[in-house]
Amino acid sequence: KDIVVAADDLEADVPPSSGSKVYNITDAPYRADATGGSMSTDAIQTAINDAHQAGGGTAYVPEGLFMLDSSIMLKSNVELYLAGGAVLRSTADPSKFNTFYHKNSLGDGTWLIYTEGYSENIKIYGRGTIDGNGFRMKQDHDYYANIVIPMQCSGFTMDGVVIIDGNMWSVT
């Protein structure tokens, strides 16, 4: 029988996990939990904010499971790198997420990762996964989530990451 094997090329632009303008979310002062045992949202957002404040840089997400209990806002001149084996997963509990929309036919919803208004030069890349946990969010809370929303921005790039389990438009 025939067999088909599909594979991505090896990554050519892997950033270092530390160094100048690299903000590794598991290093001090961020100390994100790579086991999924506690929330990593604040650590990730702080690394993004620090990269933005420095005029640009990379928020580096190493291998591990990182739980998100609220939305992440990407800012100008920031790259979000997800290493192979890195997973950003929504808790599927909407209590701390910003509600960004309401549809009469469906109900309320949020954006898991979105861009700051009028931002520029933003990149999400790597071989990691962004998991919206949308099935549970809908089943347990009747709430919807778009996973990546680049709005009112220019120079946005997304390359190589896997987007899974959105219960609305995963990437808008």
Side-chain angles (χ1 to χ4, degrees):
K1 296 193 176 213
D2 292 337
I3 184 171
V4 175
V5 176
D8 286 333
D9 291 335
L10 294 176
E11 285 183 274
D13 57 350
V14 177
S17 62
S18 63
S20 178
K21 295 198 173 193
V22 175
Y23 304 86
N24 187 317
I25 66 165
T26 58
D27 291 345
Y30 315 110
R31 301 215 187 277
D33 178 4
T35 70
S38 62
M39 296 303 120
S40 296
T41 312
D42 291 341
I44 296 167
Q45 188 63 63
T46 302
I48 290 167
N49 293 347
D50 288 353
H52 173 71
Q53 291 290 346
T58 302
Y60 186 97
V61 181
E63 181 179 346
L65 173 60
F66 301 94
M67 297 301 295
L68 304 177
D69 64 349
S70 62
S71 302
I72 298 288
M73 182 172 59
L74 299 173
K75 298 181 178 188
S76 290
N77 304 311
V78 172
E79 297 180 349
L80 178 62
Y81 176 76
L82 283 78
V87 178
L88 301 181
R89 179 177 294 151
S90 166
T91 62
D93 177 0
S95 64
K96 291 186 183 177
F97 283 92
N98 296 327
T99 296
F100 287 106
Y101 60 87
H102 174 81
K103 295 187 178 222
N104 289 337
S105 61
L106 298 173
D108 292 333
T110 192
W111 304 332
L112 189 60
I113 299 174
Y114 66 102
T115 55
E116 183 175 44
Y118 306 103
S119 55
E120 59 188 12
N121 305 321
I122 295 171
K123 184 176 182 179
I124 302 173
Y125 70 115
R127 295 291 196 255
T129 300
I130 303 171
D131 179 356
N133 214 350
F135 178 80
R136 282 203 43 234
M137 190 175 280
K138 170 67 174 119
Q139 182 180 22
D140 297 350
H141 302 283
D142 199 29
Y143 198 77
Y144 291 86
N146 302 91
I147 298 177
V148 177
I149 309 298
M151 290 186 57
Q152 297 177 320
C153 66
S154 61
F156 178 85
T157 302
M158 188 163 69
D159 183 35
V161 296
V162 175
I163 308 294
I164 62 171
D165 201 9
N167 61 13
M168 283 291 286
W169 294 80
S170 291
V171 180
T172 304

